[in-house]
Amino acid sequence: MRATCHFLLPMSSITVSHLVKQFANPESGESKRAVNDISFTLGEHEFLVLVGPSGCGKTTTLRMLAGLEPVSSGEIFFGEKRVNETRPKERNVAMVFQDYAVFPHMTVYENIAYGLRSRGAPAAMIKERVPKAAQIFRIEHLLQRKPRQLSGGERQRVALSRAMVRDADLYLYDEPLANLDAQLRYQAREDIMALHKEKQKPSVYVTHDQSEAMAMGDRIAVMNGGRIEQIGSGAELYERPNSLFVAYFIGTPSINLFDVEILAEDQALFAVSTAFRLRLADSHLDALRPYSGKRIKMGLRPEDLHVPRLATFLVSPENQIQGVVNVVEPSSTGCAVYLSTLDETSRDYVATLRTRMPATYLGKEVPLAANMAKAHYFDPATEKSILVAI
Ligand SMILES: Nc1ncnc2c1ncn2[C@@H]1O[C@H](COP(=O)(O)OP(=O)(O)OP(=O)(O)O)[C@@H](O)[C@H]1O
Ligand SMILES: [Mg+2]
């Protein structure tokens, strides 16, 4: 496949093809695939965010890109050049490590200067860039300190400054903001994005925080068990998740999942449970008809449940769910309401409303209207989306 497209690839794009990393377990001797056949192309100015649960292979992927971990199989290309056997230093990659790996015996200044110095950068460049990077990450007053005299968040900013001070061909960030408080985190995020705009180089950024992923990534790759489940823009992953896993992982609060049976009645289909009977949107009928009479999982995002009189679509008994209000959490845009269904399953679900709900609603029964055109459906056996062709 590469032979056909290879002259179209810009010099500084990155291609990962069927990458696998197998680790041998020292105790059992068995080997395990930490990264299991992942492929993607990173545009020359692209900022890709990798998200996924602990142990899904994010750090291992970054380490293979940096050349710190030999690949078991598959290929990595920087532009046209296959770099599988290229040593880390020759790849010209800047990486911020998850444990921020700063040198304890060096001052903050020397730590930041390290990458430049070890590549023979001229003294004048070091003198100009180190204080500038330190200033961006607000550690300019700490330049003469040693890392043990710093907080975890400050050390993390030293590691960020050290990576960002360089002119690399690829920037890799492994959860670089995990130790920062909310405000610093927000600032550092802005600073990274500003520097990325300036440098215009491909970047891969790992985070656990899906709202950070949505805010920063041109595209987001959701990893699970060593594989990439889906890669796309934040909006694509949110609106058209191809699996139950992606649907659940992207969006806060998480999507509400209900076990339903699909029942046909005349030309219509209904998603039926002991708690509700919801008419499927016309746009979903073709995809769902083969599931008529079967049990599947239906997902409704908290944002797609509305106070009936404020809904922008036609409300009827065929798109309402009755529930009892357990908790109301005010937010800047309205509130999150935690409810449970009225049937014996007492299934918990959550709605995020663009209005305040007075505390008098606590313990009361309320109907909410579901925007069925935005519903998601998953095959219970494969956990793949029924709506998104893969
Ligand atoms: N050197 C190693 N030897 C054996 N197994 C390893 C090694 N490094 C990582 N693993 C295993 O590979 C899997 C992926 O690890 P990795 O560090 O890439 O996960 P991660 O997605 O970065 O997780 P986290 O979010 O916790 O940082 C894990 O099961 C881990 O235990
Ligand atoms: Mg990791």
Side-chain angles (χ1 to χ4, degrees):
M1 197 184 103
R2 279 195 57 78
T4 54
C5 62
H6 99 170
F7 53 86
L8 295 174
L9 286 172
M11 273 314 285
S12 53
S13 65
I14 309 286
T15 307
V16 167
S17 175
H18 299 290
L19 199 60
V20 172
K21 179 68 200 186
Q22 200 131 352
F23 284 116
N25 180 333
E27 292 97 46
S28 64
E30 278 172 28
S31 68
K32 192 192 148 207
R33 286 192 165 195
V35 172
N36 190 3
D37 193 3
I38 65 169
S39 301
F40 61 87
T41 297
L42 191 58
E44 55 181 330
H45 309 308
E46 193 174 9
F47 199 94
L48 176 76
V49 177
L50 276 185
V51 288
S54 188
C56 73
K58 303 180 297 293
T59 296
T60 308
T61 302
L62 292 195
R63 287 176 58 80
M64 286 193 283
L65 283 168
L68 300 168
E69 199 73 72
V71 313
S72 303
S73 64
E75 294 178 299
I76 302 173
F77 292 87
F78 283 16
E80 297 304 316
K81 187 170 184 266
R82 186 179 185 275
V83 297
N84 282 41
E85 279 79 41
T86 309
R87 292 209 315 257
K89 204 162 170 181
E90 284 147 24
R91 294 193 193 191
N92 195 22
V93 170
M95 181 160 173
V96 185
F97 294 89
Q98 190 166 10
D99 54 6
Y100 39 82
V102 289
F103 301 113
H105 58 286
M106 290 184 192
T107 62
V108 168
Y109 185 100
E110 285 307 318
N111 262 289
I112 299 174
Y114 178 81
L116 289 173
R117 234 190 259 298
S118 65
R119 278 171 179 75
M125 182 193 269
I126 296 174
K127 216 169 154 185
E128 185 213 322
R129 289 199 183 181
V130 171
K132 196 173 150 208
Q135 195 184 2
I136 289 172
F137 290 104
R138 297 164 189 86
I139 47 171
E140 68 272 28
H141 56 295
L142 303 172
L143 285 171
Q144 295 318 316
R145 290 213 197 155
K146 295 275 178 62
R148 71 184 138 77
Q149 298 164 313
L150 303 178
S151 72
E154 288 163 347
R155 247 174 273 163
Q156 205 152 35
R157 282 177 283 155
V158 174
L160 265 171
S161 308
R162 186 176 58 192
M164 304 293 296
V165 82
R166 288 191 37 219
D167 291 320
D169 291 327
L170 170 65
Y171 290 83
L172 302 173
Y173 306 87
D174 199 352
E175 306 212 38
L177 310 183
N179 280 311
L180 306 187
D181 63 40
Q183 202 192 341
L184 267 179
R185 201 180 164 104
Y186 187 75
Q187 279 171 358
R189 190 200 279 183
E190 300 279 297
D191 294 335
I192 291 171
M193 292 317 285
L195 283 169
H196 170 67
K197 277 215 174 77
E198 191 184 305
K199 292 180 187 282
Q200 295 282 318
K201 292 290 178 178
S203 307
V204 185
Y205 184 101
V206 167
T207 177
H208 265 106
D209 179 343
Q210 62 88 41
S211 63
E212 192 163 285
M214 298 289 264
M216 295 180 86
D218 294 322
R219 282 190 305 161
I220 300 169
V222 180
M223 284 190 77
N224 180 24
R227 292 181 185 275
I228 292 181
E229 287 263 334
Q230 191 172 359
I231 184 163
S233 69
E236 272 162 15
L237 299 189
Y238 184 82
E239 283 162 22
R240 296 179 61 75
N242 66 14
S243 68
L244 197 63
F245 184 86
V246 174
Y248 199 74
F249 205 82
I250 299 289
T252 37
S254 284
I255 194 167
N256 299 297
L257 293 169
F258 298 99
D259 290 313
V260 296
E261 188 174 355
I262 300 297
L263 293 180
E265 215 176 280
D266 301 327
Q267 288 308 302
L269 291 178
F270 289 85
V272 180
S273 79
T274 45
F276 53 74
R277 184 171 181 279
L278 301 169
R279 188 189 182 107
L280 268 59
D282 289 348
S283 56
H284 294 158
L285 293 181
D286 286 346
L288 270 296
R289 217 175 285 287
Y291 289 86
S292 166
K294 297 196 175 131
R295 297 196 68 80
I296 61 164
K297 291 212 183 281
M298 179 181 71
L300 287 172
R301 294 224 179 260
E303 293 80 358
D304 296 323
L305 294 168
H306 300 263
V307 172
R309 71 185 160 79
L310 299 177
T312 52
F313 49 90
L314 201 65
V315 175
S316 81
E318 294 183 337
N319 59 14
Q320 289 190 55
I321 301 178
Q322 289 280 347
V324 60
V325 176
N326 300 321
V327 176
V328 178
E329 244 174 43
S331 72
S332 56
T333 52
C335 65
V337 184
Y338 293 84
L339 310 99
S340 34
T341 57
L342 301 181
D343 61 330
E344 69 280 5
T345 66
S346 191
R347 173 81 181 72
D348 291 335
Y349 60 106
V350 52
T352 46
L353 306 179
R354 295 197 170 276
T355 178
R356 297 253 185 250
M357 183 176 263
T360 48
Y361 278 88
L362 282 174
K364 299 259 167 59
E365 287 176 19
V366 297
L368 290 176
N371 187 355
M372 292 302 285
K374 298 277 188 75
H376 302 267
Y377 302 95
F378 304 96
D379 185 302
T382 63
E383 301 204 336
K384 296 291 175 203
S385 169
I386 295 170
L387 300 176
V388 181
I390 301 160

